């Protein structure tokens, strides 16, 4: 209106009046959009009356144009609101699916401190092809972290198959080797029943773990998955690489060596970190991969939750906030004996950044 008043009659501010309700439509409520449109129409009408041009055809055309656009703005606002409601409903369903398929583990299981972190690469997605599970069984605390080949609903279905088989078999199978074979058979069985599961080229990399009660030991069986890390209370770090590489789940028909679980010491004050390749394949702007062993060696954290929080933040800084693959993290810590109430916490930063 100021523009129209301060300029000669040959200049008009009608484009601004037309734009106002369109700008309000996606940003404000239906009533606010209607009010903006009404003010725009009234503004055009008042200006033409003040300029003495209300009788001209151009004035009527401008008034009808602003009125039409205001009506379209109301329609756009309604469509945006409905889309927002549908998106909110879809997000709610996705959250419910994540809680059903990948429930957040308890902070304490079988006397161990547990923390999990999941981040899907796809925007607005809550679950993808990565998986984790922690379960107290008659044989101790058993855990699994895996990565299903592929993406989309097929990968989610495979995740549900693996986790369902794990939760059942972990309670009954006496060894990790037998547990791995149960998962292998479950994938093969469901692959022939479901068209959405890739029965020809599908596979799942996985690490199965077992922590017997009170033994101070850790058993791992690695089926083609990135090596877990063992963080000691003094900052030392060990990479738990398998002595014999094994094929991922779903490729058992190709042969290879039989499954073999390995045992490591798991004393008080140590934390086991398992992760998927979304962590190690995260790249910075120069294309350099993220190396969790190098970034964590020499650092100390008060517990699994602090470890995963710092680690996820460091990966986000490394990549600049972008992710190209799903990432699942699982940390399990054995409480230290006579551990002080407060422990030194060093931020996860590159060694070259330490002053």
């Amino acid at each position: 209106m100021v523009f129209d008043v301060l300029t000669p009659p040959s200049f008009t501010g009608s484009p601004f009046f037309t734009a106002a309700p369109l700008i309000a439509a996606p940003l404000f409520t239906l009533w606010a959009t209607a009010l903006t449109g009404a003010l725009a129409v009234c503004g055009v009408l008042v200006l033409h009356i003040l300029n003495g041009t209300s009788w001209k055809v151009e004035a009527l055309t401008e008034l009808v144009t602003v009125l039409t656009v205001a009506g379209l703005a109301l329609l756009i606002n309604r469509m945006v609101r409905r889309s927002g409601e549908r998106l909110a409903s879809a997000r709610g369903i996705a959250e419910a699916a994540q809680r059903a398929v990948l429930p957040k583990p308890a902070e304490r299981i079988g006397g161990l401190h547990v923390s999990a972190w999941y981040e899907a690469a796809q925007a607005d997605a809550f679950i993808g092809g990565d998986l984790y599970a922690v379960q107290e069984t008659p044989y101790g605390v058993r855990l699994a972290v895996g990565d299903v080949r592929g993406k989309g609903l097929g990968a989610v279905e495979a995740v549900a198959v693996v986790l369902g088989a794990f939760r059942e078999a972990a309670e009954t199978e006496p060894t990790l080797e037998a547990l791995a074979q149960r998962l292998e058979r479950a994938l093969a069985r469901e692959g022939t029943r479901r068209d959405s599961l890739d029965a020809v080229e599908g596979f799942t990399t996985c690490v199965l773990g077992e922590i017997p009660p009170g033994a101070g030991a850790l058993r791992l069986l690695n089926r083609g998955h990135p090596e877990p890390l063992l963080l000691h209370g003094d900052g030392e770090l060990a990479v738990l690489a398998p002595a014999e590489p094994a094929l991922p789940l779903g490729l058992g028909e190709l042969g290879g060596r039989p499954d073999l679980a390995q045992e490591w010491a798991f004393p008080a004050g140590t934390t086991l970190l398992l992760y998927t390749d979304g962590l190690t394949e995260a790249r910075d702007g120069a294309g350099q991969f993220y190396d969790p062993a190098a970034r964590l060696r020499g650092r100390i954290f008060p517990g699994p939750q602090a470890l995963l929080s710092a680690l996820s933040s460091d990966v986000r800084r490394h990549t600049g906030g972008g992710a190209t693959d799903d990432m699942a993290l699982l940390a399990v810590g054995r409480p230290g004996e006579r551990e002080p109430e407060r422990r030194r916490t060093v931020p996860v930063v590159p060694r070259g950044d330490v002053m």
Side-chain angles (χ1 to χ4, degrees):
M1 292 187 71
V2 172
F3 173 84
D4 214 311
V5 169
L6 298 180
T7 56
S10 58
F11 293 89
T12 176
S14 59
F16 299 107
F17 290 102
T18 305
L22 289 178
I23 296 174
L27 301 178
F28 300 107
T29 64
L30 181 66
W31 290 108
T33 303
L35 178 60
T36 303
L39 291 175
V41 172
C42 292
V44 172
L45 183 60
V46 168
L47 287 172
H48 281 294
I49 292 175
L50 293 177
N51 292 331
T53 57
S54 59
W55 53 272
K56 292 185 177 181
V57 176
E58 292 83 355
L60 180 61
T61 301
E62 289 182 5
L63 183 63
V64 171
T65 300
V66 175
L67 185 62
T68 302
V69 173
L72 290 175
L74 294 176
L75 179 62
I76 293 172
N77 178 275
R78 192 59 183 165
M79 294 175 63
V80 169
R81 294 300 163 189
R82 287 181 178 177
S83 298
E85 292 171 359
R86 292 172 182 170
L87 178 59
S89 176
R91 289 175 65 90
I93 294 173
E95 290 181 12
Q98 183 187 36
R99 287 193 294 267
V101 178
L102 282 178
K104 185 177 181 180
E107 295 182 0
R108 196 173 180 90
I109 300 177
L112 304 172
H113 295 296
V114 179
S115 183
W117 180 282
Y118 190 93
E119 185 171 332
Q122 185 177 356
D124 297 325
F126 289 87
I127 187 172
D130 290 1
L131 61 96
Y132 61 79
V134 186
Q135 189 168 325
E136 188 174 10
T137 72
Y139 310 99
V141 175
R142 284 183 167 174
L143 49 92
V145 170
D147 185 0
V148 174
R149 173 190 174 274
K151 300 182 183 296
L153 293 178
V156 176
E157 283 194 62
V159 167
V161 170
V162 173
L163 289 178
F166 172 83
R167 289 167 184 149
E168 178 184 359
E171 295 285 340
T172 58
E173 296 296 344
T175 65
L176 291 181
E177 291 84 353
L179 176 57
Q181 290 303 311
R182 282 281 294 274
L183 301 184
E184 184 90 43
R185 291 193 296 272
L187 279 174
R189 180 179 63 251
E190 294 300 323
T192 60
R193 295 177 178 175
R194 307 188 192 188
D195 294 335
S196 55
L197 292 182
D198 191 346
V200 179
E201 298 181 356
F203 61 85
T204 301
T205 66
C206 184
V207 171
L208 301 175
E210 179 181 277
I211 305 172
L218 165 69
R219 301 189 187 101
L220 293 177
L221 193 155
N222 194 324
R223 295 292 297 267
H225 198 77
E227 297 87 355
L229 303 178
L230 192 63
L231 288 74
H232 295 272
D234 58 0
E236 290 296 320
L237 182 146
V239 180
L240 307 184
E244 295 287 346
L247 294 175
L249 298 173
L251 300 180
E253 294 182 355
L254 299 180
R257 298 180 179 87
D259 290 321
L260 177 63
Q262 292 178 251
E263 185 169 314
W264 281 272
F266 190 45
T270 57
T271 300
L272 174 68
L273 173 64
L274 301 103
Y275 52 90
T276 58
D277 59 7
L279 177 66
T280 54
E281 294 181 0
R283 302 190 191 189
D284 60 11
Q288 183 177 2
F289 290 104
Y290 188 87
D291 186 353
R295 310 279 277 207
L296 294 175
R297 183 171 280 110
R299 275 70 171 172
I300 301 175
F301 303 92
Q305 185 174 359
L307 167 63
L308 297 192
S309 178
L311 186 58
S312 60
S313 298
D314 193 46
V315 174
R316 197 172 295 112
R317 287 193 297 269
H318 180 79
T319 60
T324 58
D325 196 4
D326 302 330
M327 181 175 67
L329 308 173
L330 179 65
V332 180
R334 186 183 292 276
E337 298 176 358
R338 295 186 297 275
E339 193 174 57
E341 293 184 3
R342 298 185 62 185
R343 297 173 59 189
R344 180 173 60 92
T345 303
V346 181
V348 182
V349 295
R351 286 184 177 274
D353 292 348
V354 179
M355 300 300 292

